Amino acid sequence: MRRVPVVLLAAALALGLAGCAGPGATAAPPASEAVDSCPQASVPLAELDLVDDVRAVTGGSTACLSDHAIDPVDDDTAPKLPVTVTDSEDREIAITDVDRILPIDISGTIASTVFALGLGDQVVGRDASTMFAGTEDLPVVTKTGHTLNAEAILELAPTVILTDTTIGPKEIRQQLRDAGITVVVISSDRRLDTTDELVTEIATALGVPTRGQALIERLDTDLAAAQAEIGAVVPADVEDRARMLFLYVRGNANIYYIFGEDSGADSLIDAVGGVDVAAEIGWEGMKPMTAEALVAARPDVLVMMTDGLESVDGIDGLIERIPAIAETPAGANRRVIDMADSEILSFGPRSADVIGALARALYAPEPAK
């Protein structure tokens, strides 16, 4: 299957986030507030009050996680260094020191994976999307959303930087290399079915392959359990399944995108048993929304990032700004599922929790607050 370059996603997100985040403006939620903030997330899906007709639900709901912490694997094998890897830009790189790790990308996925590998204590900084518990005091090294701040990075003196092409510019990455910092560019392909490869890349680069294998086994087990739980409540007839569309919005920057096939959002819709209507109309990758595409797709449910929904003043503001939504079943029923920007596309250690949260918002929704 053809993959759409994730740099397109980076461009869309960076443009929008640049208008709503300044240097260091993003703070991780305190651990004391993160735990038990979403009680329904810990209740088995089948035990919740399931809707009778998933296509006829009205009103918005928020998908949420009960715990924003990242649990490290039990394996504490010491890193075996040096290691030599060929990164996603075909550079052969020798990693000799992982005492000061800087994991940075547009979704916070690399950082969450490093923490899940049990190397969180060696992380010295973060990007604006890394917001899980335990990262509150790490300095942010991105500015105007997701642009690398070379000066801030150099001040941290990292021994290794793990990043990808969703964050840049590439000239800054080269500047950091020229300053003698080891920079490893990880694959930017973010989907549920590429998570194991992502973990392998990161664990190999950090010299902890056995920790990586332990994490993969845990992730695969958790994801299989979540998919089995969801599968038990998905309507048997495809015609009865929710028709879903991922809409990326930044109202303050006048950005409106539909995420279609191979965007990563489609794998989330598939995982919760929805029908990806963007695929039905041949929408590939991430492209600016059109009224014609919205009407043609006829979604029952719009899936959005929480900050994006807030940027247009909620569901009413969304319909006011995009009148074509009112012509869809989702608009008529005001049916929108939102989830935190730092979580919804953060494929990695929280993949099973993310699809579980989306499934609860779809099949057993609590009203959006």
Side-chain angles (χ1 to χ4, degrees):
M1 180 180 294
R2 186 178 71 85
R3 293 284 187 245
V4 176
V6 178
V7 69
L8 296 177
L9 173 59
L13 295 180
L15 281 172
L17 290 168
C20 59
T26 306
S32 59
E33 294 180 8
V35 178
D36 296 330
S37 61
C38 183
Q40 68 268 32
S42 345
V43 179
L45 183 55
E47 295 179 13
L48 294 172
D49 186 14
L50 302 175
V51 299
D52 294 325
D53 182 354
V54 73
R55 299 190 62 185
V57 178
T58 59
S61 53
T62 297
C64 53
L65 307 180
S66 62
D67 190 339
H68 298 263
I70 303 294
D71 294 326
V73 294
D74 292 333
D75 188 332
D76 59 359
T77 305
K80 296 180 180 179
L81 301 170
V83 294
T84 300
V85 300
T86 300
D87 74 2
S88 68
E89 293 186 328
D90 291 326
R91 287 186 173 87
E92 188 173 283
I93 300 166
I95 299 100
T96 61
D97 188 342
V98 296
D99 286 343
R100 298 182 64 81
I101 305 168
L102 182 58
I104 41 178
D105 66 357
I106 202 166
S107 61
T109 305
I110 296 178
S112 65
T113 303
V114 172
F115 271 73
L117 290 169
L119 296 172
D121 288 344
Q122 278 118 282
V123 173
V124 296
R126 65 182 175 97
D127 52 65
S129 293
T130 295
M131 299 174 62
F132 51 85
T135 62
E136 300 91 337
D137 298 328
L138 291 174
V140 178
V141 297
T142 53
K143 58 184 179 180
T144 60
H146 290 273
T147 301
L148 295 175
N149 184 330
E151 292 76 15
I153 293 172
L154 291 170
E155 285 179 6
L156 295 177
T159 55
V160 60
I161 295 174
L162 302 178
T163 188
D164 63 21
T165 56
T166 66
I167 199 166
K170 64 180 180 180
E171 290 80 11
I172 297 293
R173 294 199 296 271
Q174 188 56 50
Q175 179 182 344
L176 297 170
R177 293 188 187 98
D178 293 341
I181 299 173
T182 301
V183 179
V184 182
V185 179
I186 304 297
S187 169
S188 300
D189 194 5
R190 298 284 186 272
R191 299 174 57 84
L192 288 177
D193 59 6
T194 61
T195 300
D196 289 357
E197 289 85 349
L198 173 73
V199 171
T200 298
E201 282 188 72
I202 294 172
T204 300
L206 297 177
V208 288
T210 62
R211 296 195 195 192
Q213 187 55 44
L215 180 56
I216 287 171
E217 290 173 3
R218 188 179 79 186
L219 295 180
D220 289 351
T221 298
D222 291 348
L223 194 55
Q227 290 175 322
E229 181 182 41
I230 295 167
V233 303
V234 174
D237 192 334
V238 174
E239 293 298 318
D240 294 331
R241 297 178 187 177
R243 297 173 54 79
M244 304 174 71
L245 182 72
F246 193 104
L247 186 62
Y248 177 81
V249 169
R250 281 297 183 268
N252 52 338
N254 204 31
I255 292 173
Y256 306 92
Y257 271 62
I258 290 174
F259 283 15
E261 287 188 285
D262 294 332
S263 66
D266 56 329
S267 70
L268 294 180
I269 291 172
D270 291 343
V272 299
V275 176
D276 180 21
V277 295
E280 288 187 346
I281 63 172
W283 202 272
E284 296 182 341
M286 295 76 67
K287 296 189 295 187
M289 178 214 73
T290 67
E292 292 78 11
L294 273 176
V295 174
R298 296 179 295 109
D300 300 316
V301 182
L302 295 176
V303 182
M304 299 181 63
M305 295 180 176
T306 300
D307 286 351
L309 185 59
E310 291 178 353
S311 77
V312 291
D313 300 321
I315 297 174
D316 289 337
L318 178 69
I319 295 172
E320 181 178 346
R321 290 192 185 216
I322 311 174
I325 289 178
E327 300 180 43
T328 70
N333 289 327
R334 303 179 72 258
R335 185 70 178 115
V336 178
I337 293 175
D338 69 281
M339 189 171 190
D341 301 40
S342 61
E343 295 169 352
I344 192 167
L345 291 176
S346 61
F347 301 107
R350 295 181 288 183
S351 291
D353 293 334
V354 169
I355 65 169
L358 288 171
R360 282 161 175 75
L362 180 64
Y363 297 107
E366 291 283 335
K369 297 181 176 58

